[in-house]
Amino acid sequence: MAAGNVNPFNVSDSEEEAEQRQDGADTERSPSDEAQGHSLGPFSPPAYSDPAALLSSNRTSPSVDGIPASAAAVSGIGAETRVSLDAIAAQLLRDQYILTALELHTELLEAGRELPRLRDYFSNPGNFERQSGTPPACKEQGVGPGGPLTAQVQDVKRRKKDAHLRDRAGSISTLDSLDFARYSDDGNRESDERVAECEIASQERKNYKSSPETQEPIRPLEKRALNFLVNEYLLKNEYKLTSITFSDENDDQDFELWDDVGLNIPKPPDLLQLYRNCGNSQPLHRDNVDVAVSVDPSDLPGDYFTQEPVQQTDVIQQQQQQEVVQELEYQISLLNSEKQSLAEQIKKLQSDIQALQRNVSSEPTAGVKSTPSKENPKCDKPPLDNGQYLDIRGVTETDSSSDTTKTSTSTTIATDCTENSTTATQPHSKLKANGQQSKSSVQFDQPNRKLSPAFHQALLSFCRMSADSRLGSEVSRIADSEQSVMLMLGRCLPHIVPNVLLAKREELIPLILCTACLHPEPKERDQLLHILFNLIKRPDDEQRQMILTGCVAFAQHVGPTRVEAELLPQCWEQINHKYPERRLLVAEACGALAPYLPKEIRSSLVLSMLQQMLADDKADMVREAVVKSLGVIMGYIDDPDKYSQGFELMLLSLGDPSERVVSATHQVFIPAFAAWCTELGNLQSQLIPSLLTRIEKLLKQGEYGLDEHKLHMYLSALQSLIPSLFAVLLQNAPFTSRVKLQGDVPPIEVTRFPRPASPLQDVATIVGSREQLAVLLHLYDHQLQHEGTTGWDSLLWVVNQFLPQIIDIVGRINVTSSTCVHEFSRFFWRLCRTFGKIFTNTKVKPQFQEILRLSEENVDATAGNGILTKATVPIYATGVLTCYNQEEDRKLLVGFLEDVMTTLSLSHAPLDSLKASFVELGANPAYHELLLTVLWYGVVHTSALVRCTAARMFELLVKGVNETLVAQRVVPALITLSSDPEISVRISTIPAFGTIMETVTQKELLERVKMQLASFLEDPQYQDQHSLHMEIIKTFGRVGPNAEPRFRDEFVLPHLHKLALCNNQQTVESKRIDIATQLFEAYSALSCCFISEELMVNHFLPGLRCLRTDMEQLSPEHEVILSSMIKECEIKVENKAIGEAQGSISIAASLVGEDAKTKFLSKMGQLTTSGAMLANVFQRKK
C-alpha cells in the first residue's frame, strides 16, 4: 500500500457543500448509503481485480480514511456546539497545515490526550517521502514533502519512541532483503524475484534501523557481504593499507570473488551507490496507485457518533471511481481478447494432436521402431528452458502399450521440432537430430505383469533418486538441444567454478567462453564473463595467455558490438585491482581486443584506459604491457586528431623509470607510431623535427648542466625511427614504379643492416618482405651511384635538413661527457649502416669533412682548430668511420686520428676530443691494435709535443688492453719515451706507468715499471725536477689505493715520506705549496687503506708530521685536518698495542669460561625432565 501518495482525509470545507448538507446534519446515514460508501468508494479496491491493472494507474486520491468529516460537522453545529478535536485535526491535515497539526499533536501528547488520527498520520513514514508531484497546498505554502518538516517529525518521533514501537509493525532490514537486482551491472534494471518478497519502503527501513531495540544480531552472510563491500570501498578510495589489514583480519573470506560470500544474488553496487540510493529504493517498473481503506466503526472514538452523519457525495470521489471502473473495463477487454487468441491456439494444437494420434494408431506399436510420418506437424518454437528437456524424474514402466506408444510419439515430435529449428543455424544439427531421433524411438521391454501403475510408482520410489535440490533438478533433466545445453551450463558453471582448484581452473575457460558466446540471456553472459576475468586470483603468464586467447575467440565470434558491451566493462572493472597480475590481464586484453573493437572505441575509451594505467600504475610489468597494447592501438587507429596524444604517450613511455617499459616503447610503440605517422605524411614534417627541436632546447637550457637523461630519451627515440625513415625513402623513391620481383636480384647480406631491436624495426617487415626489400635496395644503390637524387624529396630532406641539423647539435654537446658522445656515436653508426655505404661515403662523410677541414695548411690557423676540440671529432671517428670495417675504412680512421693528434698537439689545444675518441674506441677490443698503431705514430713523431700527447694517450688505453699487448706494445713504447731527450716527454709517461701498476698482475712487468719509476725518484738528474715530483705524487695518490699492497708498502709510502721530508727544506714557497697540496691529496687517499703498524710508525705518521709542518706555515685550514688525521693514526697504533695485551688475557678468560660452560652443561644433562627439579637448580642454597 503506497501510503505516501494518499491523502488520509476526505473532508470538504466548501461553503456550498456545507449549505447543501445543513438540512441533513441531524439525520443519520441509511444503511444502504453506508454500504454504498464502503463498496463503491475508492477506499477499498475491487475484490478480484488484477493488481497490474491497479498499479498501471498513477493517480492521486483525495482520501485514505474511510470516515471523512464533513464541513457541516465543523461549521453547521453552531456556537453552542463544541467542535471535536478530531474534526479540527482532519481539517488541518486536509489543508496541508502539517506544522500546525504537528503542534496540536505535540500538545495533546504532552496532555495525555493523543488523537489516533494524528498518531497514525505522523507515525507513517510514507506520508513524508518525496513524491514526483507536489500537492497544491504545498506549492502555495512553499513546503514540500520531505522538507524541513521531516526533522521536526523525527524529533517528535524520538520523544514518543517507546509508545510508537508498540503500535508499529516490526520489520528488520537486513542485507538479504535489499533489492540488489535493481542495481545489477547490466543495463536491464530488473528486480530479482528472489528478493522481491523482502522489499520494504526505504524510509520505513531507515526508521526501524534507527532504534536499537528492533535490531537483530548480524547474520554470518550479512557480515560477509558487508565485509566484501567495505573492502571494495577501501580499495577504490586508496585506503590500501587499511584494506590489507582488513583482509588479514578476515582471512576466512576471499575478497576477490563475490560468489565466496554465499548469497545467491548478483553482486551489489559499491557502498557509495547504495548510500545514494538508500532513500529512493522504490521498486522499478511498477507504478504507484492510491488506495484507501474503510474503518470499522468499533475503532472510532467514543464521541464520534455524537457528531452528525456525513454523506459521501464528493464530486471528486465519484470521478475517481468512474476512472477506476473505466480502467478495469479496459483491462477486462484486453484479457478477453487474449483469452480468445489462446483458445484458438489450444483448438489448433488439439486438432494436431488428434491427427498425430490417428497416424500413430495405424502403425505397429510393439517392438518395432516407429517410422516418421511424411508430413511433420507444424511445430511452434519451444520454450527456452523446460520445454527442451527430457524429464526423467517421473519415469514409470507400465504394461499399457498405448501409453508407451504415446510417449515415444511425443518424444519423436519434440526431436523433429528441434531438428527443424536448428538446421538453419548449426551445420552439425542434422547429425545430432538423427541421433536424438534414434534415441527417442527406442522401445523398452514391458514386463508381462499385471501390477497397477500406483504399485509400480510406489515400488520405484525405493530407488534413491533426488530431484528436490538444485543439483538434483539439473541432473534429472537431459538437454536435447544446443540452446538448452547453454542454459544448463549458464546455471551450473557459477556453482562449479568456486569448487575447482585454482591451479586447474584454466581448464574451464573453453566451457565458460562457449557458454558466454551462445547463451541467450545478457545477464547470464555478463556473469559468465565476470567469472572468466575473476577465474584465477593471480593468473600467471600461461593462464593469462589462455584467457586472452579465449577473449579473442569470443570477440571473433560475437562481433564488435558485443565486445564493446560485454568484454570492455570487465576490463574497466579490474583496472584498479589490487593484484598486478589482474591489472596486467586488463592491459594485455586491451591490445588483444583492439582489432575487434569499433574504431570510435579504440581511439577514445581504450586509449584513455591505457593512458590512465600508464600514468598511475606502480607495477613495471603492467606499464610494460600497457605500452605494448598502446603500440597495437597505434596500428589500428585512424583518427588524425589523435597524433598529438600519441606523441605525448611516446614521451611519457620513454621517460618511464623502468628499463622494461622503455625497452617495450622502442620495440613496439615507436615503430607502430612511426608507421601511422608515415601514413599521415608527417614523419619528416612533424615527428622527427619535434624531437630535434626538443634536443636543441635541452642544449640551450643545459649550459650549466645538461640533463643527460632527457637527451638520451630523445636521441634513442630518433635512433628507433631510423628504419622507418629509411623505409619512407625507399617507398617514395623515383624507382618505385620499376619495382618487379625478379629471381636474379642478389640477396641481402646478413650484415647489411644493424640488428633490429624487434621485428617491427626490421626494414624488411616495414616494406613487406625480404624479397621486396632486396629489389628496392638494388635500385636504391643504383640510383645513388648513377642517377643522382633529383626529384627524390624524402632523401633530399635527409641530406639538406636532417643531417646538417643533427651535425650542428653534435658540435654543441659537451665533449667531456662520455654518455653524450656514446649516444650520438651509436646514432650515427646505426644511421650510416641503415642507409648504406654509398650514402655514407657520398652524403655523410663530406659534410663532416667540410666542417673539420683537416689539412696541412690549417695546422696553425686558429679558425680551423676550434671544431677539433668539440664532440664532432669523436662522433665522426667512432660513429661514421667505424661503420664499415674494410681495409680502406681502417686506413681512413687511422689517418684521421693521426691528423687530429698532430693538429691538436702542435696547436697546444685541449686533448679532450682525442681522449673521448680513444675512450670510445678503446671499449671495443677490435680497435686496440689500430689505436696502438696511432700511438706508435706519435711515439716516433719528430715533434716533442706529439710524443707527449702519445705518452698521455697510453694512460687511457692501458685499462682496456690485455696484458699481452701491454707487455709487447705498450711498455716498450713507454720505456722508449721515458728515455726521450725532452724532459716533458719523460714526465708524460709517469701516469701511464702508474696505471700499469694499478691494472697489471704480471710480476715481471711490474718489476720493470717499478724500476723505471725508481729511476725517476732516485736519479740525481731528477732531484730538482718540480714537475716530475708533482706528477709522481699525483700518480701515487691515484693508483696507491688500488695497486698491489706490496708495491704500496715497499715503494709508495717510503717515497712519499722522502718527498715530504725534502719539501720541508724547499725554499721556493710556490713549489713548496704545490708539493704540499699534492702530498695532502695522496695521504688523504692512502689513509683509507690498511697500513701495518710498522709502516704507520716508520713512514706514514712521520710523513704526515712533515706535511703538517709545511701546512702550519702555508695553509692553516689543511693543518687542522692533518692534526686530526695524525691523532687518529696515533690512536689506532695505541689501540693495537692495548688489543694485543688484552688478547692474551681474553684467551685465558675464554679457557676458564669454556671450562665453566662444560661443567654447567654436564650438570644440566644429569637432570630429568621435571620442571620442579629444573627450577630447583637455580635456587639459592640456604
Side-chain angles (χ1 to χ4, degrees), residues 50 65 87 182 207 241 256 365 375 394 412 596 600 618 630 639 664 720 846 933 972 1043 1095 1110 1176:
D50 188 2
D65 203 323
R182 75 185 60 169
N207 292 338
L241 294 179
E256 300 304 314
T365 59
E375 294 181 359
T412 306
Y596 311 102
E600 299 83 4
K618 297 180 180 179
L630 282 171
D639 185 3
S720 297
T933 302
L1095 287 173
D1110 292 335
N1176 293 333

Coordinates of all heavy atoms in Angstrom, one line a residue, residues 50 65 87 182 207 241 256 365 375 394 412 596 600 618 630 639 664 720 846 933 972 1043 1095 1110 1176:
D50 N -7.2 -7.3 -11.0 CA -5.8 -7.6 -11.3 C -4.9 -6.6 -10.7 O -5.1 -5.4 -10.9 CB -5.6 -7.7 -12.8 CG -4.3 -8.2 -13.2 OD1 -3.5 -8.5 -12.2 OD2 -3.9 -8.2 -14.4
D65 N -8.7 7.8 4.6 CA -9.6 7.4 5.7 C -11.0 7.2 5.2 O -11.6 8.0 4.5 CB -9.5 8.6 6.8 CG -9.9 8.0 8.1 OD1 -10.8 7.1 8.2 OD2 -9.3 8.5 9.2
A87 N -12.1 16.5 14.4 CA -12.5 17.2 13.2 C -11.5 18.3 12.9 O -11.2 18.6 11.7 CB -13.9 17.8 13.4
R182 N 18.1 -4.6 -8.7 CA 17.9 -3.3 -9.4 C 19.1 -2.6 -9.6 O 19.2 -1.6 -10.4 CB 16.9 -2.5 -8.7 CG 17.4 -1.8 -7.4 CD 16.3 -1.1 -6.7 NE 15.3 -2.0 -6.3 CZ 14.3 -1.7 -5.4 NH1 14.3 -0.5 -5.0 NH2 13.4 -2.6 -5.1
N207 N 13.8 4.0 9.5 CA 13.2 4.4 10.8 C 13.4 3.2 11.8 O 13.7 3.3 13.0 CB 11.7 4.7 10.7 CG 11.5 6.0 10.0 OD1 12.4 6.8 9.9 ND2 10.4 6.2 9.4
L241 N 46.4 0.3 2.7 CA 46.9 -0.3 3.9 C 45.8 -0.8 4.8 O 45.8 -1.9 5.4 CB 47.8 0.7 4.7 CG 49.1 1.1 4.0 CD1 49.9 2.1 4.8 CD2 50.0 -0.1 3.7
E256 N 38.1 -11.4 -3.5 CA 38.2 -11.3 -5.0 C 36.9 -11.7 -5.6 O 36.6 -11.2 -6.7 CB 39.4 -12.1 -5.5 CG 40.7 -11.6 -4.9 CD 41.0 -10.2 -5.2 OE1 40.7 -9.7 -6.3 OE2 41.4 -9.5 -4.2
T365 N 3.0 -51.0 -33.0 CA 3.4 -50.3 -31.7 C 4.2 -51.2 -30.8 O 4.8 -50.7 -29.9 CB 2.2 -49.8 -30.9 OG1 1.4 -51.0 -30.6 CG2 1.4 -48.8 -31.7
E375 N 4.4 -36.1 -43.4 CA 4.1 -34.6 -43.2 C 4.3 -34.4 -41.7 O 3.5 -34.9 -40.9 CB 2.7 -34.2 -43.6 CG 2.5 -34.4 -45.1 CD 1.1 -33.9 -45.5 OE1 0.4 -33.6 -44.6 OE2 0.8 -33.9 -46.7
G394 N 10.0 -38.6 -13.6 CA 8.8 -39.3 -13.3 C 8.7 -40.5 -14.2 O 7.6 -40.9 -14.7
T412 N 9.4 -38.2 -30.2 CA 9.8 -38.1 -31.6 C 9.4 -36.7 -32.2 O 10.1 -36.1 -32.9 CB 9.2 -39.2 -32.5 OG1 9.5 -40.5 -31.9 CG2 9.7 -39.2 -33.9
Y596 N 39.2 -6.0 -32.8 CA 37.8 -6.4 -32.8 C 36.8 -5.4 -32.2 O 35.7 -5.7 -32.0 CB 37.6 -7.8 -32.1 CG 38.7 -8.8 -32.5 CD1 39.8 -9.0 -31.8 CD2 38.6 -9.4 -33.8 CE1 40.7 -9.9 -32.2 CE2 39.5 -10.3 -34.2 CZ 40.6 -10.6 -33.4 OH 41.6 -11.5 -33.8
E600 N 35.7 3.9 -33.1 CA 35.5 5.0 -32.2 C 35.9 4.6 -30.7 O 36.5 5.4 -30.0 CB 34.0 5.4 -32.2 CG 33.5 5.9 -33.5 CD 33.1 4.8 -34.4 OE1 33.1 3.6 -33.9 OE2 32.7 5.1 -35.6
K618 N 51.7 1.4 -10.6 CA 53.0 1.3 -10.0 C 53.8 0.1 -10.4 O 55.0 0.0 -10.1 CB 52.9 1.4 -8.5 CG 52.2 2.7 -8.0 CD 52.1 2.7 -6.5 CE 51.5 4.0 -6.0 NZ 51.3 4.0 -4.5
L630 N 49.4 -0.2 -26.3 CA 49.3 1.1 -27.0 C 49.9 1.0 -28.4 O 49.4 1.7 -29.3 CB 50.0 2.2 -26.1 CG 49.3 2.7 -24.9 CD1 50.2 3.6 -24.1 CD2 48.0 3.5 -25.4
D639 N 42.3 8.1 -36.6 CA 41.9 9.4 -36.3 C 43.1 10.4 -36.3 O 43.9 10.3 -35.4 CB 41.1 9.5 -35.0 CG 40.5 10.8 -34.7 OD1 40.6 11.7 -35.6 OD2 39.9 11.0 -33.6
A664 N 60.1 -1.7 -24.1 CA 58.9 -2.0 -24.8 C 58.5 -0.8 -25.7 O 57.9 -1.0 -26.8 CB 57.8 -2.3 -23.8
S720 N 65.4 4.9 -32.9 CA 64.4 3.9 -33.2 C 63.6 4.3 -34.5 O 62.9 3.4 -35.1 CB 63.5 3.7 -32.0 OG 64.2 3.2 -30.9
P846 N 81.2 13.7 -46.5 CA 81.6 15.0 -47.0 C 81.1 16.2 -46.1 O 81.8 17.2 -45.9 CB 80.9 15.1 -48.3 CG 80.8 13.7 -48.8 CD 80.6 12.9 -47.5
T933 N 98.6 1.4 -33.2 CA 99.3 1.9 -34.4 C 99.3 3.4 -34.4 O 100.3 4.1 -34.7 CB 98.6 1.4 -35.6 OG1 98.6 -0.1 -35.6 CG2 99.3 1.8 -36.9
P972 N 107.1 -1.3 -24.0 CA 108.3 -0.9 -24.8 C 108.2 0.5 -25.3 O 109.2 1.3 -25.3 CB 108.3 -1.9 -26.0 CG 107.7 -3.1 -25.4 CD 106.6 -2.6 -24.5
A1043 N 96.6 -0.3 -6.1 CA 97.7 -1.0 -6.5 C 98.0 -2.2 -5.6 O 97.3 -2.4 -4.6 CB 99.0 -0.1 -6.5
L1095 N 104.7 0.2 9.2 CA 104.7 1.3 8.2 C 104.0 2.5 8.8 O 104.5 3.6 8.5 CB 103.9 0.8 7.0 CG 104.6 -0.2 6.1 CD1 103.7 -0.7 5.0 CD2 105.9 0.4 5.5
D1110 N 104.7 21.8 7.0 CA 104.5 22.7 5.8 C 103.2 23.5 5.9 O 103.1 24.7 5.6 CB 104.6 21.9 4.5 CG 106.0 21.4 4.3 OD1 107.0 22.0 4.8 OD2 106.1 20.4 3.5
N1176 N 64.7 -26.0 40.7 CA 65.5 -26.0 41.9 C 66.9 -25.8 41.7 O 67.7 -25.5 42.6 CB 65.2 -27.4 42.6 CG 63.8 -27.5 43.1 OD1 63.2 -26.5 43.4 ND2 63.3 -28.7 43.2

